[in-house]
Amino acid sequence: MTFAGLDSGTTVMLAHGFGCDQNLWRLVAARLRDRFRLVLFDHVGSGLSDPAAWNAERYSSLQGYADDILEIVERLDLTDVVFVGHSVAAMMGVLAVAKDPSRFAKLVLLTPSPCYLDHDGYTGGFTRADVDDLLESMESNYLGWSRTMAPKVMGTPDRPQLEEELTESFCRNDPAKARVFARTTFLSDNRADLERVGISARVIECLHDTLAPRSVGAYTHEHIAGSNLVTIDSTGHCPQLSAPDETAAAIAEFASPA
């Protein structure tokens, strides 16, 4: 776990998505640390987390990750937290806030998806066959899958260094743990949980996102009462790397006390 920024004031908790670690927040953190107290961490099974803490059964559900988030804020005795979740971590935040809203003031969902699978009347962006192929590819050749998938997720062919960074992040993960995390990510359906959010929320989407199309951002916004939607003029699923100025500004504007 990492602390940065001010010693007091508004606490902003930054949670990374699948295949990443807290280091991918560094550009946004550098832009926020002079205004907020920051808390960053690696999900169990990712980054520099304790390998002994891994439990495949616990982390086969996003609720396991949400419970970890609640444990962190309780152990640190944090209140009025602004939780920022990237990608699948956005739904972890939704579940954490729904279970115990008492520790949280605001919720920021960065390129979220409550469900990656298409359903009648809902476009998640993937068919079940797409996801089955993705998981099978991970099972047969995780490193090869990482090198193919990461550039698609990043979506910045004009900046290959960003695609390479995400590829390296994917490749650093333990393949067995990553496969469990991927299955949990791509097969979860948290659409019904959106209405359980009872605090102020902001949805931040990218103009072009291969993993979470704008229809998903609109759906998330529409199903969280009182939320607002911000669209960043950026391509890809990781604007904290590809558009850190715009991402940090959208977070700071919302997180700042009225």
Side-chain angles (χ1 to χ4, degrees):
M1 192 178 306
T2 302
F3 303 91
L6 305 179
D7 293 331
S8 61
T10 301
T11 298
V12 174
M13 188 177 199
L14 301 169
H16 67 82
F18 167 78
C20 306
D21 58 27
Q22 61 179 278
N23 183 58
L24 268 68
W25 284 114
R26 69 187 185 282
L27 301 179
V28 166
R31 290 159 171 80
L32 296 178
R33 64 166 54 101
D34 63 342
R35 299 178 61 180
F36 305 100
R37 177 172 55 177
L38 304 180
V39 177
L40 301 96
F41 65 99
D42 293 333
H43 295 299
V44 173
S46 302
L48 298 177
S49 64
D50 181 2
W54 172 257
N55 181 294
E57 182 178 357
R58 176 181 176 91
Y59 298 109
S60 64
S61 166
L62 291 184
Q63 189 63 56
Y65 295 97
D67 289 343
D68 285 351
I69 291 164
L70 291 174
E71 183 176 340
I72 291 171
V73 297
E74 290 167 4
R75 284 193 177 186
L76 297 178
D77 196 22
L78 301 176
T79 57
D80 296 324
V81 174
V82 178
F83 179 87
V84 183
H86 169 237
S87 189
V88 68
M91 292 305 111
M92 298 173 193
V94 165
L95 292 172
V97 166
K99 185 172 182 178
D100 181 7
S102 66
R103 297 278 182 175
F104 302 93
K106 297 177 181 178
L107 178 63
V108 178
L109 299 90
L110 180 63
T111 61
S113 180
C115 182
Y116 287 94
L117 292 175
D118 296 336
H119 294 273
D120 290 342
Y122 174 83
T123 302
F126 293 83
T127 66
R128 180 57 194 252
D130 292 333
V131 172
D132 287 343
D133 288 345
L134 180 152
L135 296 174
E136 182 179 343
S137 178
M138 289 185 71
E139 185 71 34
S140 61
N141 183 0
Y142 177 73
L143 293 181
W145 174 87
S146 298
R147 295 188 179 98
T148 299
M149 188 67 176
K152 295 179 180 178
V153 173
M154 183 58 67
T156 56
D158 57 323
R159 288 178 285 175
Q161 71 276 13
L162 297 183
E163 296 183 348
E164 180 60 29
E165 178 174 348
L166 190 61
T167 299
E168 292 177 358
S169 178
F170 279 13
C171 290
R172 283 196 299 270
N173 283 301
D174 176 85
K177 296 181 178 67
R179 286 193 289 268
V180 173
F181 196 178
R183 181 173 293 276
T184 302
T185 296
F186 288 104
L187 295 181
S188 292
D189 186 350
N190 298 104
R191 289 176 294 167
D193 295 307
L194 299 178
E195 64 184 28
R196 300 171 63 202
V197 175
I199 64 173
S200 298
R202 166 165 287 188
V203 179
I204 304 175
E205 64 176 6
C206 290
L207 193 59
H208 304 285
D209 187 338
T210 54
L211 258 66
R214 293 189 64 188
S215 58
V216 172
Y219 181 96
T220 303
H221 163 51
E222 290 168 3
H223 287 79
I224 298 180
S227 66
N228 60 67
L229 176 64
V230 173
T231 304
I232 294 177
D233 186 5
S234 180
T235 298
H237 193 61
C238 299
Q240 69 270 51
L241 286 180
S242 61
D245 287 333
E246 296 85 346
T247 301
I251 294 170
E253 178 192 33
F254 185 67
S256 298

